[in-house]
């Protein structure tokens, strides 16, 4: 049972509904309305107020940001103003971008109010009057006609040829015919509640009178708003960075405590306590990858700009990377895989079928532009000039509107002086009115209709008979005259697939992305679309939202959600539930466009909406497609994986180099009576190596990195960092062993040069999982900045200014040649260890064309 107010009112008689709310068809008195308004509150969506200051505060709750703030304070304490200012800049950029994204997201709730009408017609004290829709209360009697937006959830007590467009709620393009009678059983989904009018949906034909049964947040529309407001999922990027930051912070604290205590125990009274504190602080700062926010911002911006060229707007920058981590893409069929507009698919029977169907239009073919009926618009769009002329040549004398009970409408027309009765409606209903002579034709039509139904198409039938009567024919024309008909033919209608749908889905499969359909449409239509695009083999594989909800426990629902590819008749709450279930084990993206999609869009790891989507759907989404095509999503997934690959490169490169230096310098400080590297030199090393590492954000990516979804695996990153960091540590000790006997200045200078150069060559090794010379050519910016850092690292110790400010000693030419030789050996060993590691973990391909 759907967790709403309305289901309990669908199965009881009108008199009982009115009695429950202590009202009558004449409406409530003004005094009673005022009393109920105080009791039930205003008919508005209640939202939680979030101030800009609260949103800004969220930006500093990340453990990584806390780590950077500590590093900033320590840098200023050491007098390293440039390093401190740079870290502050990184923090500010990150906070501003995060604030803008979250503030924009909070506006989504407010946009729901655009779909609430400002006035409503109610019966109050026996007379009809217009009132502020926000003052509606349960028990009010509301009157709605074609073009009106229903202001609250109502139970219809009168329905005259009433049809309502519920696409904003269910996603179905076809309007729903409404009745006032009680249903035999409670509806399993919103679309089955034929005697209920939902807040925010639109009356497209006829007239209805209903009693208000729910207002504000108690309506179905209000429940969607609550789901949308409540959903604040953590992005895949944020989750990965949070885990990574906590690991770094814990590791630094533990190692520094061990180092500090060990120095005091080993050196005893000879330990320089103040110098040791400064050294420990500088060592801690050197390990923090403070350029990570800049690297990610550059990578995100580059990806967002590329997507913008393909008509994709990224509202949350980190969503660019999150796109690459998508393992399951859920999409609402209507408007995304299909065109969201009915067309005439096939015809059966007499060639006059289409023209007679147009003549039987409730508004007449001549007024088709004013008709808000998907079937009539489809018929009008298919008419030839001759058929249009034939339909227009029939003079309409009278008509009996469509009735949901008899499931047809009829018109009395005059053509060439002869009267003709045309009946149009459901084939099953029209067959009941055929002559015996036309019965065999009706059976043939049923066979054809069943075949069309299996294709997910909707069928209407057209029948006729000559109508001759005296002058008072119009008065004698009643429903009883709809008999003795001859079947003319049938028309089937389909919401056609987009031409690019099947190709895009195939590309998604190649990228390792599973696509699932979540639609409010019928099982037959959803199954036909699923088969047509190749997602399922038979329509029997479709599962409805009610079937999912009927599962007894969460585990069985999760298992069903994972193995099912096409879901039909899903409510907004069930879409939300499916996304929530899938998120337990997978990274989930959701593509939708209706109001009913807003909660699922917001809870998904990545929410995607099309430009034509409802405002609330666009605002809840992270990515907006300006062009309706799944192809741009596939391209976005590729871009996201490039961003992820480059961000991971930076994290690995900086951890390997920083850990290597961290361990080596920390251990060397225990073995030497002087510091192996001055604090100012450590910070300069960290700052100088960051510039080319920042350029990793613009680097090229091997094609193998794009073949499957990826997410931050802290364990895998740490294993690589520890393994290759150990290699870096070994080579650092080689520098230490060669130069520590030559005095502090010589050791510090040569170790500094060697550390910078090994970090630079490490970038070109770790940027690919395979052999470095088989990888794609490095990005131009990475190559240029690496070259500049190389020159600066060698030139600074040679310059008087560098020797004075950073306490370098003039390096000897022989030492420089030795350093270069060690760097080459380090690169070779790093390549060998990397290849062995990735071969063991089945990550790398050693063969393939050079790109």
């Amino acid at each position: 049972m759907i967790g709403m107010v309305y289901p309990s009112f669908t199965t009881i008689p009108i008199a009982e509904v009115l009695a429950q709310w202590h009202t009558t068809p004449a409406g409530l008195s003004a005094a009673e309305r005022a009393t109920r308004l105080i009791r039930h509150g205003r008919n508005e969506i209640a939202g939680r107020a979030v101030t800009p200051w609260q949103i800004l505060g969220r930006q500093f709750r990340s453990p990584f940001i806390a780590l950077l703030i500590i590093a900033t304070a320590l840098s200023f304490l050491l007098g390293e103003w440039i390093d401190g200012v740079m870290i502050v800049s990184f923090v500010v950029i990150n906070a501003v971008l995060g604030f803008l994204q979250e503030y924009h997201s909070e506006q989504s709730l407010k946009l729901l109010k655009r779909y609430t009408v400002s006035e409503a017609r109610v019966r109050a004290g026996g007379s009809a009057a217009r009132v502020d829709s926000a003052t509606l209360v349960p028990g009010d009697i509301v009157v709605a006609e074609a073009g009106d937006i229903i202001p609250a959830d109502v139970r219809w007590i009168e329905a005259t040829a009433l049809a309502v467009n519920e696409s904003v709620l269910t996603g179905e393009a076809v309007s729903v015919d409404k009745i006032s009678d009680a249903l035999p059983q409670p509806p399993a989904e919103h679309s089955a509640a034929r005697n209920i009018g939902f807040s925010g949906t639109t009356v497209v034909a006829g007239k209805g009178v209903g009693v208000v049964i729910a207002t504000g947040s108690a309506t179905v529309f209000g429940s969607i708003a609550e789901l949308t407001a409540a959903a604040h999922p953590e992005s895949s990027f944020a989750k990965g960075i949070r885990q990574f930051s906590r690991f770094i912070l814990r590791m630094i604290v533990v190692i520094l405590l061990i180092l500090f205590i060990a120095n005091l125990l080993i050196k005893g009274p000879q330990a320089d306590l103040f110098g040791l504190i400064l050294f420990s602080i500088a060592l801690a700062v050197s390990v923090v990858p403070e350029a990570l926010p800049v690297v990610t911002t550059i990578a995100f911006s580059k990806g967002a700009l590329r997507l913008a060229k393909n008509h994709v707007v990224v509202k949350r920058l980190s969503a660019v990377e999150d796109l690459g981590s998508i393992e399951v893409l859920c999409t609402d069929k209507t408007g995304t895989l299909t065109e969201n507009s009915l067309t005439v698919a096939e015809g059966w029977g007499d060639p006059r079928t289409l023209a007679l169907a147009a003549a039987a239009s409730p508004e007449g073919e001549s007024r088709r532009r004013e008709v808000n009926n998907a079937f009539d618009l489809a018929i009008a769009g298919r008419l030839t000039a001759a058929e249009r002329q034939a339909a227009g040549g029939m003079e309409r004398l009278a008509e009996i509107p469509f009735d949901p009970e008899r499931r047809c409408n009829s018109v009395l027309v005059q053509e060439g002086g002869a009267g003709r009765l045309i009946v149009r409606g459901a084939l099953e209903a029209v067959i009941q009115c055929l002559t015996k002579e036309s019965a065999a034709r009706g059976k043939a039509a049923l066979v054809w209709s069943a075949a069309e139904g299996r294709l997910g198409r909707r069928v209407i039938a057209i029948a006729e008979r000559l109508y001759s009567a005296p002058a008072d024919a119009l008065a004698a024309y009643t429903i009883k005259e709809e008999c003795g008909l001859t079947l003319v033919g049938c028309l089937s209608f389909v919401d056609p697939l987009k031409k690019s749908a099947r190709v895009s889905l195939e590309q998604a499969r190649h990228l390792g992305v599973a696509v699932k359909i979540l639609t409010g449409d019928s099982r037959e239509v959803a199954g036909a679309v699923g088969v047509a695009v190749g997602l399922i083999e038979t329509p029997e594989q479709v599962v409805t939202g009610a079937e999912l909800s009927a599962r007894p426990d969460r585990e069985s629902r999760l298992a069903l959600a994972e193995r099912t590819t096409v879901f039909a008749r899903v409510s907004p709450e069930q879409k939300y539930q499916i996304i929530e279930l899938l998120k337990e084990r997978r990274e989930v993206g959701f593509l939708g466009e209706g109001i009913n999609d807003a909660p699922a869009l917001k809870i998904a790891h990545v929410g995607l909406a099309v430009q034509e989507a409802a405002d609330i759907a666009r605002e809840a989404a992270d990515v907006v497609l300006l062009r309706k095509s799944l192809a741009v999503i596939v391209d976005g997934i590729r871009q996201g994986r490039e961003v992820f690959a480059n961000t991971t490169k930076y994290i690995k490169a900086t951890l390997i180099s920083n850990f290597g230096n961290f361990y080596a310098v920390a251990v060397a400080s225990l073995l030497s009576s002087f510091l192996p590297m001055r604090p100012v030199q450590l910070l300069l090393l960290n700052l100088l190596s960051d510039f080319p590492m920042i350029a990793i954000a613009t680097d090229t990516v091997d094609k193998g990195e794009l073949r499957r979804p990826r997410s931050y695996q802290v364990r895998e990153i740490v294993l690589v960092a520890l393994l290759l960091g150990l290699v870096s540590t070994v080579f650092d000790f080689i520098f230490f062993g060669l130069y520590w006997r030559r005095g502090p200045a010589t050791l510090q200078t040569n170790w500094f040069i060697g550390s910078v150069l090994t970090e630079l060559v490490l970038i070109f090794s770790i940027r690919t999982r395979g052999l470095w010379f088989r990888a794609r050519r490095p990005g131009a910016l990475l190559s240029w900045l690496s070259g500049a850092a190389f020159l600066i690292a060698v030139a600074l110790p040679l310059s008087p200014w560098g020797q004075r400010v950073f306490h370098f000693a003039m390096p000897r030419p022989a030492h420089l040649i030795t350093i270069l030789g060690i760097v080459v050996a380090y690169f070779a060993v790093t390549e060998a260890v990397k290849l062995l590691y990735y071969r063991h973990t089945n990550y790398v391909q050693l063969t393939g064309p050079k790109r």
Side-chain angles (χ1 to χ4, degrees):
M1 180 63 66
I2 304 167
M4 306 289 167
V5 172
Y6 78 83
S8 61
F9 291 96
T10 59
T11 57
I12 58 179
I14 294 173
E16 192 174 335
V17 176
L18 295 173
Q20 282 197 26
W21 290 111
H22 304 288
T23 188
T24 68
L28 302 170
S29 66
E32 180 61 22
R33 293 190 74 249
T35 301
R36 295 192 183 192
L37 184 61
I38 296 173
R39 186 189 314 151
H40 295 281
R42 292 173 66 83
N43 181 32
E44 295 175 333
I45 299 169
R48 48 183 176 75
V50 179
T51 67
W53 290 109
Q54 289 174 317
I55 298 174
L56 184 61
R58 293 177 193 163
Q59 312 312 312
F60 297 95
R61 294 177 186 171
S62 163
F64 187 75
I65 295 299
L67 202 61
L68 291 184
I69 292 173
I70 294 171
T72 301
L74 296 179
S75 297
F76 286 140
L77 180 65
L78 294 173
E80 296 303 317
W81 296 95
I82 295 178
D83 208 43
V85 168
M86 287 191 66
I87 299 176
V88 167
S89 301
F90 299 156
V91 173
V92 170
I93 290 171
N94 180 76
V96 169
L97 290 175
F99 171 82
L100 292 175
Q101 180 268 316
E102 290 196 25
Y103 180 79
H104 190 62
S105 179
E106 289 296 337
Q107 306 310 305
S108 60
L109 182 64
K110 298 178 182 178
L111 285 168
L112 281 164
K113 295 181 179 178
R114 295 186 183 182
Y115 287 87
T116 58
V117 292
S118 58
E119 287 188 332
R121 281 196 300 160
V122 301
R123 292 175 181 172
S127 61
R130 287 194 173 274
V131 300
D132 183 351
S133 63
T135 65
L136 288 178
V137 295
D140 267 331
I141 303 300
V142 174
V143 180
E145 295 181 340
D148 290 342
I149 297 177
I150 300 173
D153 283 0
V154 301
R155 161 65 194 273
W156 299 115
I157 60 175
E158 297 177 23
T160 305
L162 181 62
V164 178
N165 185 331
E166 296 180 346
S167 61
V168 295
L169 185 65
T170 65
E172 274 197 77
V174 179
S175 58
V176 179
D177 300 315
K178 296 294 183 177
I179 61 175
S180 58
D181 296 337
L183 301 181
Q185 60 186 18
E189 60 235 355
H190 301 321
S191 59
R194 296 182 59 205
N195 56 3
I196 299 294
F198 296 108
S199 175
T201 59
T202 305
V203 177
V204 296
K207 178 180 179 179
V209 178
V211 56
V212 174
I213 57 174
T215 60
S217 298
T219 64
V220 172
F221 197 53
S223 70
I224 294 175
E226 288 184 350
L227 283 175
T228 304
H232 285 282
E234 183 179 33
S235 70
S236 303
F237 171 74
K239 189 193 318 179
I241 293 301
R242 174 173 53 79
Q243 295 172 347
F244 168 70
S245 302
R246 287 179 177 173
F247 168 78
I248 293 293
L249 186 59
R250 290 169 183 168
M251 188 199 68
I252 289 175
V253 171
V254 170
I255 292 179
L256 284 183
L257 282 175
I258 294 173
L259 171 66
F260 192 80
I261 294 171
N263 264 280
L264 291 178
L265 291 176
I266 294 173
K267 297 181 180 179
Q270 297 181 351
D272 179 3
L273 188 60
F274 180 73
L276 185 57
I277 292 174
L278 290 181
F279 175 73
S280 299
I281 291 172
L283 199 59
V285 172
S286 70
V287 176
V288 177
E290 70 272 15
L292 182 58
V294 171
V295 170
T296 55
T297 299
I298 293 173
F300 293 162
S301 300
K302 180 185 176 185
L305 287 173
R306 285 185 181 178
L307 291 174
K309 293 178 181 178
N310 290 327
H311 309 286
V312 178
V313 175
V314 177
K315 293 166 50 185
R316 172 170 62 84
L317 277 181
S318 61
V320 175
E321 179 174 301
D322 290 340
L323 272 171
S325 67
I326 289 177
E327 297 173 277
V328 179
L329 176 63
C330 298
T331 174
D332 183 19
K333 167 191 68 65
T334 307
T336 51
L337 294 175
T338 65
E339 297 288 355
N340 193 23
S341 61
L342 288 184
T343 60
V344 177
E346 299 289 344
W348 176 90
D350 195 300
R352 298 180 302 125
T353 299
L354 197 62
L356 291 178
S361 166
E363 297 289 339
E365 201 281 325
S366 62
R367 295 181 57 195
R368 67 188 181 281
R369 297 182 185 278
E370 302 174 26
V371 176
N372 192 6
N373 181 297
F375 290 106
D376 290 311
L377 290 173
I379 291 169
R382 185 67 176 265
L383 290 173
T384 64
E387 289 169 333
R388 195 182 305 278
Q389 184 177 5
M394 300 180 192
E395 180 186 356
R396 182 174 301 212
L397 302 177
E399 65 179 298
I400 299 177
F402 181 87
D403 184 347
E405 292 301 314
R406 74 185 211 283
R407 301 174 65 195
C408 64
N409 73 292
S410 64
V411 296
L412 181 61
V413 300
Q414 185 172 341
E415 182 182 20
R420 188 186 302 274
L421 176 64
I422 305 172
V423 177
R424 189 185 84 171
L427 176 59
E428 295 80 1
V430 172
I431 283 178
Q432 304 301 319
C433 305
L434 298 180
T435 62
K436 292 182 179 180
E437 293 76 10
S438 194
R441 187 173 173 82
K443 291 180 181 179
L446 282 173
V447 173
W448 179 84
S449 177
E452 293 296 292
R454 287 191 292 272
L455 296 175
R457 297 171 178 176
R458 298 173 173 89
V459 174
I460 64 171
I462 296 88
E464 67 170 348
R465 75 174 176 87
L466 293 177
Y467 187 87
S468 57
D472 61 349
L474 297 186
Y477 172 49
T478 65
I479 293 177
K480 294 180 180 180
E481 301 296 326
E482 296 175 351
C483 60
L485 303 174
T486 299
L487 184 62
V488 178
C490 299
L491 298 174
S492 66
F493 299 80
V494 66
D495 184 3
L497 290 177
K498 292 185 175 179
K499 295 179 180 178
S500 61
R502 193 178 184 101
V503 173
S504 299
L505 289 173
E506 190 61 33
Q507 291 175 345
R509 287 195 194 94
H510 289 320
L511 290 174
V513 178
V515 179
K516 295 178 183 288
I517 293 178
L518 277 61
T519 180
D521 221 327
S522 68
R523 183 194 294 269
E524 293 75 19
V525 174
V529 171
V531 171
V533 296
L535 287 178
I536 55 177
E537 295 180 358
T538 65
E540 287 71 29
Q541 294 173 272
V542 176
V543 172
T544 65
E547 291 169 346
L548 177 71
S549 298
R551 289 298 173 108
D553 54 70
R554 189 174 183 85
E555 281 302 314
S556 62
R557 289 193 294 271
L558 174 59
L560 183 61
E562 287 202 320
R563 70 171 179 264
T564 302
T565 303
V566 180
F567 289 92
R569 291 296 187 204
V570 288
S571 67
E573 297 78 23
Q574 288 163 342
K575 285 186 181 181
Y576 186 94
Q577 181 186 40
I578 292 169
I579 299 297
E580 199 171 35
L581 287 169
L582 292 173
K583 281 180 63 179
E584 290 187 14
R585 298 177 182 174
R586 304 288 186 89
E587 296 294 317
V588 182
F590 178 69
L591 172 62
E593 65 174 347
I595 290 176
N596 59 319
D597 296 326
L601 282 166
K602 201 164 184 183
I603 196 177
H605 290 110
V606 185
L608 307 104
V610 294
Q611 182 184 20
E612 295 80 5
D615 287 345
I616 179 63
R618 287 203 306 270
E619 287 302 314
D622 303 303
V623 178
V624 177
L625 312 180
L626 302 184
R627 190 177 65 201
K628 278 189 170 183
S629 171
L630 283 176
V632 297
I633 299 178
V634 174
D635 184 64
I637 291 173
R638 291 194 188 97
Q639 294 294 330
R641 292 183 185 175
E642 285 190 13
V643 170
F644 173 85
N646 284 335
T647 304
T648 306
K649 285 180 198 175
Y650 167 78
I651 292 175
K652 289 179 179 178
T654 192
L655 283 186
I656 291 167
S657 56
N658 288 356
F659 281 177
N661 290 334
F662 182 90
Y663 295 144
V665 174
V667 174
S669 69
L670 298 174
L671 305 176
S672 174
S673 58
F674 56 87
L675 295 178
M677 200 176 293
R678 291 175 176 268
V680 68
Q681 293 168 347
L682 276 173
L683 294 174
L684 176 63
L685 165 64
N686 192 41
L687 182 65
L688 195 58
S689 62
D690 272 342
F691 282 106
M693 286 198 181
I694 288 173
I696 289 177
T698 65
D699 194 20
T700 55
V701 176
D702 290 342
K703 291 181 180 179
E705 296 285 341
L706 310 179
R707 290 175 186 161
R708 63 185 179 88
R710 299 184 186 276
S711 58
Y712 287 102
Q713 300 293 331
V714 175
R715 180 177 175 273
E716 192 260 339
I717 292 174
V718 170
L719 280 176
V720 173
L722 290 177
L723 187 61
L724 295 182
L726 181 62
V727 174
S728 179
T729 300
V730 170
F731 278 84
D732 280 334
F733 275 122
I734 291 175
F735 286 114
F736 180 78
L738 286 174
Y739 300 113
W740 78 281
R741 294 181 184 277
R742 297 179 181 272
T746 300
L747 171 63
Q748 292 163 356
T749 300
N750 291 345
W751 199 342
F752 169 82
I753 296 173
S755 294
V756 173
L757 298 190
T758 52
E759 289 191 24
L760 293 179
V761 298
L762 172 66
I763 294 174
F764 291 89
S765 174
I766 205 66
R767 64 179 294 271
T768 177
R769 295 172 182 259
L771 291 167
W772 68 274
F773 57 84
R774 290 188 180 276
R776 294 184 64 188
R777 182 178 299 176
L781 184 61
L782 175 61
S783 299
W784 280 103
L785 287 183
S786 297
F790 178 94
L791 293 176
I792 293 172
V794 175
L796 267 180
L798 295 173
S799 69
W801 181 80
Q803 295 167 16
R804 184 176 65 255
V805 175
F806 298 102
H807 309 286
F808 290 131
M810 173 67 74
R812 297 178 182 180
H815 290 173
L816 290 176
I817 293 173
T818 301
I819 291 170
L820 290 176
I822 295 173
V823 170
V824 171
Y826 166 76
F827 181 74
V829 172
T830 297
E831 275 285 284
V833 173
K834 176 195 71 176
L835 292 174
L836 286 173
Y837 171 79
Y838 284 128
R839 176 182 291 172
H840 176 71
T841 53
N842 198 28
Y843 276 132
V844 69
Q845 290 182 347
L846 297 178
T847 60
K850 185 176 179 178
R851 294 178 293 276

